[in-house]
Amino acid sequence: MWMLSFIPDSWIQLAVHIIFGLGVAGLILTWLIQNIFNHFTALLPWIKTIRWVSIVLFIGGLYFEGGIGVESEWRARVAQLEAKIKVAEQQSKEANDKLKNQINSKVKIIKINSASNKESIAQNKEVIDAECSLNDKAIGIYNNAIKNGAQ
Amino acid sequence: MKKLLLISLLLTGCATSVPVKMSFPQAPEPLLEPAKDLTPLDPSKRKLSDLLDNANTNYTEYHELQQKHNAWIEWYNTQRKIFEGVK
């Protein structure tokens, strides 16, 4: 049945209806000739062949009639799901763009504030350094905290 | 037996396969950058202003990471909501 997915719906439906219709028509025709119009003796030698061909067409047609119903239903579901996925992918992209802009603007503000602090430290350097200087121990402990055990 | 075979054959007409795929959503670029290490204080810089400067650099790094972490949470919740809407 998966092979049917490569052929347009309308073509498949038409072909299946024709096959099934020919099968039914052939069976009715052979029954009528044998039982009612049995004076058409010219067709009698062909009756067996026509009936077998009709049976094959009928069974084949019936098989595809069943298949096409399921196929159409699945195609409708696939189309619906594909449409939903397309919308979801678009929404996902838009959400990502929004989030990216949000992060960039927040990081920009953080950097501005950081630069402002840096400038403030530079401006007040003399006052800050007037009363305190660091020894090796203090620097060691501070760096240990930064490295968190890593060398 | 013949009828069973015929019914089995006719029922295979109902078999079908539907390949529909949804690609995994891509995260925004800034969130994919690895976190930087904190900057240790240069042992030759012994002034309090150097310490403050270093602390300022590291706090900036933390705040950036905090924003990225929050953004990851928002990204996950948004994408999950979108994904669940597809079912």
Side-chain angles (χ1 to χ4, degrees), chain A residues 103-123:
Chain A
I103 301 162
N104 286 341
S105 62
K106 281 178 181 173
V107 167
K108 201 175 170 184
I109 292 166
I110 289 166
K111 284 188 172 161
I112 290 169
N113 289 339
S114 173
S116 161
N117 283 340
K118 215 176 167 73
E119 204 180 303
S120 190
I121 293 164
Q123 278 172 358

Side-chain angles (χ1 to χ4, degrees), chain B residues 57-68:
Chain B
T57 306
N58 288 331
Y59 287 167
T60 304
E61 189 59 39
Y62 164 77
H63 287 300
E64 278 184 33
L65 280 174
Q66 186 191 34
Q67 289 309 324
K68 286 179 183 177

Side-chain angles (χ1 to χ4, degrees), chain A residues 1 63 67 70-71 74 78 84 88-89 92 96 102 106 111 114 117-118 125 129 134 136 142-143 146, chain B residues 9 12-16 18 23 26 41 46 48-49 53-56 60 64 67 74-75 79 86-87:
Chain A
M1 278 300 116
Y63 173 88
V70 178
E71 185 71 17
W74 274 108
V78 167
K84 276 186 177 180
E89 281 175 350
S92 171
N96 273 356
Q102 242 176 48
K106 281 178 181 173
K111 284 188 172 161
S114 173
N117 283 340
K118 215 176 167 73
K125 202 173 165 54
D129 295 337
L134 303 170
D136 287 341
Y142 179 77
N143 280 344
I146 285 172
Chain B
L9 176 76
T12 58
C14 301
T16 188
V18 186
S23 56
Q26 184 71 26
L41 182 64
R46 291 169 171 268
L48 188 59
S49 59
D53 196 46
N54 178 271
N56 182 47
T60 304
E64 278 184 33
Q67 289 309 324
E74 195 183 328
W75 181 85
Q79 297 301 329
V86 173
K87 286 177 190 171

